[in-house]
Amino acid sequence: MFPNMLPFAVGQFNPLVMQPQAMTQQHIFPQATRHARRVYVGGLPPSANEQSVAIYFNQVMAAIGGNTAGPGDAVLNVYINHDKKFAFVEMRSVEEASNAMALDGILFEGAPVKVRRPTDYNPSLAAALGPSQPSSNLNLAAVGLTPGSAGGLEGPDRIFVGGLPYYFTEAQVRELLESFGPLRGFDLVKDRETGNSKGYAFCVYQDLNVTDIACAALNGIKMGDKTLTVRRANQGSAQPRPEQENILLQAQQQVQLQKLVYQVGALPTKVVCLTQVVTADELKDDEEYEDIMEDMRLEAGKYGNLVKVVIPRPHPSGEPVSGVGKVFLEYADVDGSTKAKTAMHGRKFGGNPVVAVFYPENKFADEDYDAAA
């Protein structure tokens, strides 16, 4: 028994252990499969108790179609640590425990909970006992989760990817990671309220042999103004085996090529920066400045929902002002900014070809107009 862990008390109503089928399986497999039949549930609210956790997981497992061991409830037992707000939920089958892993992030009594494998989980032994990944047929939308967002994202080969620029989209992160092979699972972590990236992600490769190769090749590389941290999520970084060295070399070369594409100005953002459009002298006169602003609003508005136009002006005192000579166009979405960049880049303005590039949204929001572009 785990210290400070409270199971259902003897004589306490437990709707779970009364299932004859579940009792039979638990009797047949008392310990051999237990490590693979339990899941860790963290972040529980103080009001949680053994019965409420059990009933809730029985309900959501049934709702997503995760009960694959036959009729009845999936949960055999619950042990809860009230001090540290976590529990171990024991399922009646290995496959149902794997299906429960897809519930990571689900709301329990209004609080998002973490669903993980316990520390005694042995992936090598578990592989022979049943499926180690959630079923692809689970109806996660029935319980408010996004199907496929975190599917397959557990186990020792789960990779943490940190230090991502906030303006990287899911497609851009996937493209970088898939330089090493197709992904089995991928999740770009986002703020629940704003939907914006939090700057880190998790992934698992279909070919687990490339896990260490990808970590070694990607860790420490510069992406825009940030440096990536890439490692196995559940342990320290592992060195590639000797037979992987040639593959690692090729992968590192591929990443170097990829980096050329992922520099500031190449990745789509909602902000477009134009240069060689205006001169500092043109911006000094108030009337001419307003004419230029109006022309830009009309032209830029053709390509999408234009939110803001910023054209930095020289200071009357001659004091340096960041971004003078540039025009910034902020759109409501990347679709509008992409159309504007494509249409404006290379067009002649005052005899000069316009240069249009994407600009980091965080720099623009901070009124930092001197980032490389």
Side-chain angles (χ1 to χ4, degrees):
M1 182 72 65
F2 290 90
N4 300 322
M5 305 290 283
L6 304 174
F8 283 109
V10 176
Q12 178 181 353
F13 171 68
N14 179 355
L16 315 166
V17 299
M18 298 302 292
Q19 296 293 333
Q21 183 176 9
M23 286 293 289
T24 301
Q25 186 170 11
Q26 190 179 34
H27 177 73
I28 295 172
F29 306 111
Q31 292 296 330
T33 63
R34 189 164 179 264
H35 72 97
R37 289 187 291 105
R38 292 194 314 157
V39 296
Y40 163 91
V41 181
L44 291 170
S47 58
N49 59 48
E50 292 79 8
Q51 186 169 329
S52 66
V53 170
I55 292 174
Y56 180 76
F57 271 84
N58 278 330
Q59 290 174 343
V60 295
M61 284 290 287
I64 66 174
N67 293 357
T68 53
D73 292 328
V75 179
L76 283 179
N77 215 338
V78 175
Y79 294 90
I80 194 165
N81 183 314
H82 290 287
D83 294 335
K84 296 185 178 180
K85 301 177 183 178
F86 71 85
F88 291 113
V89 178
E90 184 177 350
M91 301 293 177
R92 60 182 173 174
S93 75
V94 172
E95 185 174 5
E96 288 174 339
S98 294
N99 286 341
M101 297 303 298
L103 297 172
D104 184 36
I106 196 169
L107 294 178
F108 175 82
E109 297 182 1
V113 295
K114 298 177 182 178
V115 182
R116 300 282 191 270
R117 296 289 190 184
T119 55
D120 66 347
Y121 177 71
N122 187 318
S124 300
L125 294 178
L129 299 173
S132 58
Q133 299 297 328
S135 168
S136 60
N137 297 320
L138 297 178
N139 181 17
L140 297 180
V143 292
L145 295 175
T146 303
S149 62
L153 282 175
E154 54 90 15
D157 295 290
R158 180 172 179 251
I159 296 175
F160 168 79
V161 184
L164 292 167
Y166 296 113
Y167 50 84
F168 269 37
T169 65
E170 287 191 28
Q172 291 157 358
V173 179
R174 285 191 73 110
E175 183 181 355
L176 178 65
L177 296 172
E178 287 176 343
S179 299
F180 305 93
L183 298 173
R184 184 172 69 202
F186 170 76
D187 182 27
L188 178 62
V189 180
K190 297 179 181 179
D191 185 279
R192 286 182 178 273
E193 294 184 0
T194 67
N196 295 330
S197 166
K198 286 190 171 184
Y200 64 95
F202 296 93
C203 73
V204 175
Y205 284 94
Q206 288 185 15
D207 180 1
L208 302 181
N209 290 321
V210 307
T211 300
D212 293 329
I213 296 172
C215 291
L218 291 171
N219 188 55
I221 72 170
K222 290 280 188 180
M223 285 290 167
D225 57 350
K226 292 188 174 279
T227 302
L228 294 188
T229 299
V230 184
R231 55 175 170 76
R232 288 175 181 264
N234 300 327
Q235 61 191 70
S237 59
Q239 294 300 314
R241 296 186 298 274
E243 62 268 25
Q244 296 176 323
E245 289 298 330
N246 287 336
I247 304 175
L248 173 59
L249 181 60
Q250 294 174 18
Q252 288 173 327
Q253 292 171 345
Q254 171 70 17
V255 168
Q256 292 304 315
L257 292 174
Q258 199 90 4
K259 283 171 63 180
L260 298 177
V261 179
Y262 282 79
Q263 296 304 309
V264 172
L267 288 170
T269 69
K270 290 185 273 191
V271 181
V272 177
C273 174
L274 307 177
T275 54
Q276 298 188 181
V277 178
V278 294
T279 65
D281 288 338
E282 292 171 332
L283 301 173
K284 291 178 180 177
D285 182 81
D286 290 344
E287 188 173 341
E288 191 168 1
Y289 178 79
E290 288 302 324
D291 287 342
I292 293 171
M293 284 288 288
E294 184 61 25
D295 288 345
M296 280 297 165
R297 288 193 192 98
L298 290 173
E299 179 62 24
K302 296 176 183 178
Y303 308 110
N305 186 359
L306 185 66
V307 176
K308 185 190 291 186
V309 177
V310 174
I311 306 178
R313 298 182 70 182
H315 196 277
S317 66
E319 183 180 334
V321 175
S322 69
V324 172
K326 298 177 182 178
V327 174
F328 298 91
L329 309 173
E330 182 185 19
Y331 288 85
D333 51 47
V334 173
D335 183 59
S337 63
T338 300
K339 290 177 180 176
K341 176 181 176 294
T342 302
M344 293 186 173
H345 185 71
R347 283 177 55 178
K348 291 290 183 68
F349 192 90
N352 296 319
V354 174
V355 176
V357 298
F358 294 112
Y359 198 79
E361 293 171 17
N362 59 330
K363 298 287 187 184
F364 180 77
D366 292 340
E367 299 183 358
D368 178 358
Y369 302 131
D370 279 337

mmCIF file of all heavy atoms in Angstrom, residues 110-149:
data_model
loop_
_atom_site.group_PDB
_atom_site.id
_atom_site.type_symbol
_atom_site.label_atom_id
_atom_site.label_comp_id
_atom_site.label_asym_id
_atom_site.label_seq_id
_atom_site.Cartn_x
_atom_site.Cartn_y
_atom_site.Cartn_z
ATOM 1 N N GLY A 110 -14.099 20.761 -12.997
ATOM 2 C CA GLY A 110 -13.637 22.077 -13.437
ATOM 3 C C GLY A 110 -12.144 22.253 -13.513
ATOM 4 O O GLY A 110 -11.667 23.319 -13.923
ATOM 5 N N ALA A 111 -11.377 21.249 -13.127
ATOM 6 C CA ALA A 111 -9.917 21.366 -13.134
ATOM 7 C C ALA A 111 -9.317 20.392 -14.150
ATOM 8 O O ALA A 111 -9.690 19.215 -14.169
ATOM 9 C CB ALA A 111 -9.340 21.085 -11.749
ATOM 10 N N PRO A 112 -8.391 20.859 -15.009
ATOM 11 C CA PRO A 112 -7.737 19.936 -15.949
ATOM 12 C C PRO A 112 -6.787 19.015 -15.196
ATOM 13 O O PRO A 112 -5.998 19.467 -14.366
ATOM 14 C CB PRO A 112 -6.965 20.877 -16.883
ATOM 15 C CG PRO A 112 -6.734 22.117 -16.094
ATOM 16 C CD PRO A 112 -7.911 22.245 -15.166
ATOM 17 N N VAL A 113 -6.868 17.723 -15.442
ATOM 18 C CA VAL A 113 -6.011 16.763 -14.747
ATOM 19 C C VAL A 113 -5.022 16.129 -15.719
ATOM 20 O O VAL A 113 -5.279 16.038 -16.918
ATOM 21 C CB VAL A 113 -6.837 15.655 -14.056
ATOM 22 C CG1 VAL A 113 -7.691 16.246 -12.950
ATOM 23 C CG2 VAL A 113 -7.703 14.900 -15.057
ATOM 24 N N LYS A 114 -3.892 15.723 -15.168
ATOM 25 C CA LYS A 114 -2.877 15.027 -15.954
ATOM 26 C C LYS A 114 -3.119 13.519 -15.838
ATOM 27 O O LYS A 114 -3.323 13.009 -14.744
ATOM 28 C CB LYS A 114 -1.478 15.349 -15.440
ATOM 29 C CG LYS A 114 -1.084 16.811 -15.539
ATOM 30 C CD LYS A 114 0.292 17.032 -14.937
ATOM 31 C CE LYS A 114 0.686 18.496 -14.987
ATOM 32 N NZ LYS A 114 2.010 18.721 -14.347
ATOM 33 N N VAL A 115 -3.063 12.844 -16.960
ATOM 34 C CA VAL A 115 -3.185 11.381 -16.958
ATOM 35 C C VAL A 115 -1.888 10.826 -17.517
ATOM 36 O O VAL A 115 -1.526 11.094 -18.667
ATOM 37 C CB VAL A 115 -4.387 10.902 -17.789
ATOM 38 C CG1 VAL A 115 -4.502 9.377 -17.731
ATOM 39 C CG2 VAL A 115 -5.673 11.547 -17.287
ATOM 40 N N ARG A 116 -1.163 10.074 -16.687
ATOM 41 C CA ARG A 116 0.162 9.584 -17.059
ATOM 42 C C ARG A 116 0.301 8.108 -16.655
ATOM 43 O O ARG A 116 -0.511 7.568 -15.906
ATOM 44 C CB ARG A 116 1.264 10.383 -16.342
ATOM 45 C CG ARG A 116 1.258 11.875 -16.640
ATOM 46 C CD ARG A 116 1.862 12.173 -17.993
ATOM 47 N NE ARG A 116 2.092 13.600 -18.162
ATOM 48 C CZ ARG A 116 1.213 14.453 -18.666
ATOM 49 N NH1 ARG A 116 0.029 14.000 -19.033
ATOM 50 N NH2 ARG A 116 1.486 15.726 -18.793
ATOM 51 N N ARG A 117 1.356 7.486 -17.128
ATOM 52 C CA ARG A 117 1.718 6.162 -16.633
ATOM 53 C C ARG A 117 2.375 6.314 -15.262
ATOM 54 O O ARG A 117 3.088 7.302 -15.015
ATOM 55 C CB ARG A 117 2.702 5.486 -17.588
ATOM 56 C CG ARG A 117 2.154 5.194 -18.965
ATOM 57 C CD ARG A 117 1.127 4.090 -18.962
ATOM 58 N NE ARG A 117 0.789 3.669 -20.319
ATOM 59 C CZ ARG A 117 -0.132 2.766 -20.605
ATOM 60 N NH1 ARG A 117 -0.828 2.198 -19.641
ATOM 61 N NH2 ARG A 117 -0.372 2.428 -21.865
ATOM 62 N N PRO A 118 2.174 5.364 -14.358
ATOM 63 C CA PRO A 118 2.859 5.424 -13.063
ATOM 64 C C PRO A 118 4.342 5.118 -13.226
ATOM 65 O O PRO A 118 4.776 4.611 -14.265
ATOM 66 C CB PRO A 118 2.150 4.339 -12.240
ATOM 67 C CG PRO A 118 1.601 3.385 -13.250
ATOM 68 C CD PRO A 118 1.262 4.209 -14.469
ATOM 69 N N THR A 119 5.122 5.417 -12.214
ATOM 70 C CA THR A 119 6.569 5.249 -12.311
ATOM 71 C C THR A 119 6.986 3.783 -12.424
ATOM 72 O O THR A 119 8.077 3.482 -12.908
ATOM 73 C CB THR A 119 7.275 5.882 -11.097
ATOM 74 O OG1 THR A 119 6.723 5.337 -9.899
ATOM 75 C CG2 THR A 119 7.083 7.390 -11.100
ATOM 76 N N ASP A 120 6.126 2.861 -11.978
ATOM 77 C CA ASP A 120 6.496 1.453 -12.070
ATOM 78 C C ASP A 120 6.099 0.832 -13.420
ATOM 79 O O ASP A 120 6.260 -0.372 -13.625
ATOM 80 C CB ASP A 120 5.890 0.650 -10.920
ATOM 81 C CG ASP A 120 4.359 0.589 -10.978
ATOM 82 O OD1 ASP A 120 3.766 1.366 -11.757
ATOM 83 O OD2 ASP A 120 3.765 -0.218 -10.235
ATOM 84 N N TYR A 121 5.579 1.660 -14.320
ATOM 85 C CA TYR A 121 5.185 1.145 -15.636
ATOM 86 C C TYR A 121 6.414 0.670 -16.402
ATOM 87 O O TYR A 121 7.406 1.390 -16.521
ATOM 88 C CB TYR A 121 4.458 2.237 -16.423
ATOM 89 C CG TYR A 121 4.054 1.855 -17.823
ATOM 90 C CD1 TYR A 121 3.032 0.935 -18.048
ATOM 91 C CD2 TYR A 121 4.683 2.425 -18.927
ATOM 92 C CE1 TYR A 121 2.651 0.593 -19.335
ATOM 93 C CE2 TYR A 121 4.302 2.090 -20.217
ATOM 94 C CZ TYR A 121 3.290 1.172 -20.410
ATOM 95 O OH TYR A 121 2.908 0.831 -21.695
ATOM 96 N N ASN A 122 6.347 -0.541 -16.933
ATOM 97 C CA ASN A 122 7.467 -1.123 -17.676
ATOM 98 C C ASN A 122 7.044 -1.292 -19.128
ATOM 99 O O ASN A 122 6.311 -2.221 -19.468
ATOM 100 C CB ASN A 122 7.858 -2.474 -17.074
ATOM 101 C CG ASN A 122 9.123 -3.038 -17.694
ATOM 102 O OD1 ASN A 122 9.308 -2.976 -18.907
ATOM 103 N ND2 ASN A 122 9.990 -3.605 -16.866
ATOM 104 N N PRO A 123 7.491 -0.389 -20.037
ATOM 105 C CA PRO A 123 7.045 -0.443 -21.432
ATOM 106 C C PRO A 123 7.370 -1.767 -22.119
ATOM 107 O O PRO A 123 6.576 -2.262 -22.925
ATOM 108 C CB PRO A 123 7.799 0.721 -22.092
ATOM 109 C CG PRO A 123 8.197 1.614 -20.969
ATOM 110 C CD PRO A 123 8.412 0.729 -19.792
ATOM 111 N N SER A 124 8.536 -2.327 -21.803
ATOM 112 C CA SER A 124 8.940 -3.576 -22.461
ATOM 113 C C SER A 124 8.001 -4.722 -22.093
ATOM 114 O O SER A 124 7.566 -5.487 -22.958
ATOM 115 C CB SER A 124 10.374 -3.935 -22.080
ATOM 116 O OG SER A 124 11.267 -2.918 -22.462
ATOM 117 N N LEU A 125 7.689 -4.828 -20.795
ATOM 118 C CA LEU A 125 6.767 -5.878 -20.363
ATOM 119 C C LEU A 125 5.347 -5.599 -20.839
ATOM 120 O O LEU A 125 4.615 -6.508 -21.237
ATOM 121 C CB LEU A 125 6.787 -6.003 -18.844
ATOM 122 C CG LEU A 125 8.095 -6.501 -18.209
ATOM 123 C CD1 LEU A 125 7.966 -6.512 -16.691
ATOM 124 C CD2 LEU A 125 8.432 -7.904 -18.718
ATOM 125 N N ALA A 126 4.973 -4.315 -20.815
ATOM 126 C CA ALA A 126 3.600 -3.955 -21.184
ATOM 127 C C ALA A 126 3.311 -4.260 -22.655
ATOM 128 O O ALA A 126 2.184 -4.592 -23.014
ATOM 129 C CB ALA A 126 3.362 -2.472 -20.903
ATOM 130 N N ALA A 127 4.331 -4.161 -23.496
ATOM 131 C CA ALA A 127 4.135 -4.386 -24.929
ATOM 132 C C ALA A 127 3.624 -5.791 -25.214
ATOM 133 O O ALA A 127 2.915 -6.019 -26.208
ATOM 134 C CB ALA A 127 5.437 -4.128 -25.677
ATOM 135 N N ALA A 128 3.965 -6.733 -24.344
ATOM 136 C CA ALA A 128 3.534 -8.123 -24.545
ATOM 137 C C ALA A 128 2.172 -8.405 -23.923
ATOM 138 O O ALA A 128 1.598 -9.477 -24.123
ATOM 139 C CB ALA A 128 4.570 -9.079 -23.959
ATOM 140 N N LEU A 129 1.640 -7.429 -23.169
ATOM 141 C CA LEU A 129 0.388 -7.660 -22.443
ATOM 142 C C LEU A 129 -0.836 -7.114 -23.163
ATOM 143 O O LEU A 129 -1.959 -7.513 -22.874
ATOM 144 C CB LEU A 129 0.480 -7.019 -21.052
ATOM 145 C CG LEU A 129 1.577 -7.561 -20.134
ATOM 146 C CD1 LEU A 129 1.651 -6.719 -18.870
ATOM 147 C CD2 LEU A 129 1.314 -9.022 -19.799
ATOM 148 N N GLY A 130 -0.613 -6.184 -24.083
ATOM 149 C CA GLY A 130 -1.735 -5.577 -24.777
ATOM 150 C C GLY A 130 -1.326 -4.267 -25.410
ATOM 151 O O GLY A 130 -0.163 -3.854 -25.302
ATOM 152 N N PRO A 131 -2.253 -3.555 -26.079
ATOM 153 C CA PRO A 131 -1.929 -2.281 -26.726
ATOM 154 C C PRO A 131 -1.353 -1.274 -25.734
ATOM 155 O O PRO A 131 -1.853 -1.147 -24.611
ATOM 156 C CB PRO A 131 -3.278 -1.796 -27.271
ATOM 157 C CG PRO A 131 -4.117 -3.040 -27.368
ATOM 158 C CD PRO A 131 -3.672 -3.925 -26.248
ATOM 159 N N SER A 132 -0.309 -0.573 -26.140
ATOM 160 C CA SER A 132 0.298 0.416 -25.252
ATOM 161 C C SER A 132 -0.096 1.839 -25.625
ATOM 162 O O SER A 132 0.287 2.786 -24.947
ATOM 163 C CB SER A 132 1.826 0.284 -25.283
ATOM 164 O OG SER A 132 2.311 0.454 -26.601
ATOM 165 N N GLN A 133 -0.859 1.987 -26.726
ATOM 166 C CA GLN A 133 -1.319 3.296 -27.158
ATOM 167 C C GLN A 133 -2.844 3.316 -27.173
ATOM 168 O O GLN A 133 -3.488 2.284 -27.357
ATOM 169 C CB GLN A 133 -0.788 3.617 -28.564
ATOM 170 C CG GLN A 133 0.724 3.657 -28.675
ATOM 171 C CD GLN A 133 1.332 4.750 -27.828
ATOM 172 O OE1 GLN A 133 0.721 5.799 -27.634
ATOM 173 N NE2 GLN A 133 2.526 4.516 -27.299
ATOM 174 N N PRO A 134 -3.450 4.494 -27.001
ATOM 175 C CA PRO A 134 -4.915 4.576 -27.052
ATOM 176 C C PRO A 134 -5.435 4.169 -28.429
ATOM 177 O O PRO A 134 -4.767 4.367 -29.440
ATOM 178 C CB PRO A 134 -5.201 6.058 -26.772
ATOM 179 C CG PRO A 134 -3.962 6.593 -26.133
ATOM 180 C CD PRO A 134 -2.836 5.797 -26.704
ATOM 181 N N SER A 135 -6.624 3.625 -28.457
ATOM 182 C CA SER A 135 -7.256 3.263 -29.724
ATOM 183 C C SER A 135 -7.494 4.515 -30.573
ATOM 184 O O SER A 135 -7.840 5.580 -30.046
ATOM 185 C CB SER A 135 -8.591 2.565 -29.470
ATOM 186 O OG SER A 135 -9.341 2.450 -30.666
ATOM 187 N N SER A 136 -7.305 4.388 -31.862
ATOM 188 C CA SER A 136 -7.543 5.525 -32.775
ATOM 189 C C SER A 136 -9.028 5.771 -32.989
ATOM 190 O O SER A 136 -9.404 6.775 -33.614
ATOM 191 C CB SER A 136 -6.859 5.261 -34.113
ATOM 192 O OG SER A 136 -7.370 4.079 -34.701
ATOM 193 N N ASN A 137 -9.878 4.869 -32.488
ATOM 194 C CA ASN A 137 -11.325 4.996 -32.705
ATOM 195 C C ASN A 137 -12.058 5.637 -31.529
ATOM 196 O O ASN A 137 -13.290 5.673 -31.522
ATOM 197 C CB ASN A 137 -11.934 3.614 -32.969
ATOM 198 C CG ASN A 137 -11.378 2.981 -34.229
ATOM 199 O OD1 ASN A 137 -11.178 3.667 -35.234
ATOM 200 N ND2 ASN A 137 -11.111 1.681 -34.191
ATOM 201 N N LEU A 138 -11.327 6.142 -30.550
ATOM 202 C CA LEU A 138 -11.977 6.756 -29.393
ATOM 203 C C LEU A 138 -12.699 8.043 -29.789
ATOM 204 O O LEU A 138 -12.179 8.849 -30.564
ATOM 205 C CB LEU A 138 -10.938 7.069 -28.311
ATOM 206 C CG LEU A 138 -10.191 5.872 -27.708
ATOM 207 C CD1 LEU A 138 -9.171 6.358 -26.693
ATOM 208 C CD2 LEU A 138 -11.158 4.880 -27.070
ATOM 209 N N ASN A 139 -13.869 8.245 -29.222
ATOM 210 C CA ASN A 139 -14.651 9.457 -29.488
ATOM 211 C C ASN A 139 -14.326 10.512 -28.431
ATOM 212 O O ASN A 139 -15.126 10.781 -27.530
ATOM 213 C CB ASN A 139 -16.145 9.120 -29.488
ATOM 214 C CG ASN A 139 -17.010 10.339 -29.791
ATOM 215 O OD1 ASN A 139 -16.516 11.345 -30.308
ATOM 216 N ND2 ASN A 139 -18.290 10.259 -29.470
ATOM 217 N N LEU A 140 -13.148 11.120 -28.545
ATOM 218 C CA LEU A 140 -12.701 12.082 -27.528
ATOM 219 C C LEU A 140 -13.541 13.354 -27.533
ATOM 220 O O LEU A 140 -13.664 14.029 -26.507
ATOM 221 C CB LEU A 140 -11.226 12.427 -27.750
ATOM 222 C CG LEU A 140 -10.247 11.259 -27.601
ATOM 223 C CD1 LEU A 140 -8.824 11.721 -27.855
ATOM 224 C CD2 LEU A 140 -10.351 10.628 -26.216
ATOM 225 N N ALA A 141 -14.117 13.669 -28.688
ATOM 226 C CA ALA A 141 -14.950 14.873 -28.769
ATOM 227 C C ALA A 141 -16.150 14.782 -27.832
ATOM 228 O O ALA A 141 -16.687 15.800 -27.392
ATOM 229 C CB ALA A 141 -15.421 15.083 -30.204
ATOM 230 N N ALA A 142 -16.566 13.563 -27.485
ATOM 231 C CA ALA A 142 -17.723 13.377 -26.598
ATOM 232 C C ALA A 142 -17.461 13.909 -25.202
ATOM 233 O O ALA A 142 -18.404 14.185 -24.456
ATOM 234 C CB ALA A 142 -18.097 11.896 -26.536
ATOM 235 N N VAL A 143 -16.199 14.054 -24.825
ATOM 236 C CA VAL A 143 -15.865 14.556 -23.483
ATOM 237 C C VAL A 143 -15.080 15.869 -23.571
ATOM 238 O O VAL A 143 -14.388 16.262 -22.643
ATOM 239 C CB VAL A 143 -15.073 13.503 -22.674
ATOM 240 C CG1 VAL A 143 -15.961 12.320 -22.360
ATOM 241 C CG2 VAL A 143 -13.822 13.059 -23.409
ATOM 242 N N GLY A 144 -15.170 16.538 -24.725
ATOM 243 C CA GLY A 144 -14.567 17.862 -24.869
ATOM 244 C C GLY A 144 -13.096 17.880 -25.174
ATOM 245 O O GLY A 144 -12.450 18.932 -25.065
ATOM 246 N N LEU A 145 -12.528 16.756 -25.590
ATOM 247 C CA LEU A 145 -11.121 16.718 -25.964
ATOM 248 C C LEU A 145 -11.004 16.704 -27.481
ATOM 249 O O LEU A 145 -11.929 16.296 -28.186
ATOM 250 C CB LEU A 145 -10.434 15.482 -25.378
ATOM 251 C CG LEU A 145 -10.346 15.427 -23.844
ATOM 252 C CD1 LEU A 145 -9.759 14.098 -23.401
ATOM 253 C CD2 LEU A 145 -9.502 16.578 -23.314
ATOM 254 N N THR A 146 -9.858 17.148 -27.978
ATOM 255 C CA THR A 146 -9.626 17.180 -29.419
ATOM 256 C C THR A 146 -9.067 15.852 -29.873
ATOM 257 O O THR A 146 -7.987 15.455 -29.435
ATOM 258 C CB THR A 146 -8.629 18.297 -29.796
ATOM 259 O OG1 THR A 146 -9.139 19.532 -29.318
ATOM 260 C CG2 THR A 146 -8.445 18.362 -31.297
ATOM 261 N N PRO A 147 -9.763 15.141 -30.752
ATOM 262 C CA PRO A 147 -9.251 13.852 -31.234
ATOM 263 C C PRO A 147 -7.892 14.009 -31.891
ATOM 264 O O PRO A 147 -7.690 14.913 -32.704
ATOM 265 C CB PRO A 147 -10.306 13.401 -32.252
ATOM 266 C CG PRO A 147 -11.546 14.141 -31.866
ATOM 267 C CD PRO A 147 -11.071 15.457 -31.327
ATOM 268 N N GLY A 148 -6.956 13.158 -31.498
ATOM 269 C CA GLY A 148 -5.643 13.133 -32.145
ATOM 270 C C GLY A 148 -4.653 14.146 -31.624
ATOM 271 O O GLY A 148 -3.500 14.137 -32.011
ATOM 272 N N SER A 149 -5.080 15.039 -30.708
ATOM 273 C CA SER A 149 -4.160 16.087 -30.269
ATOM 274 C C SER A 149 -3.010 15.531 -29.455
ATOM 275 O O SER A 149 -1.860 15.937 -29.627
ATOM 276 C CB SER A 149 -4.909 17.142 -29.448
ATOM 277 O OG SER A 149 -5.462 16.566 -28.283
#
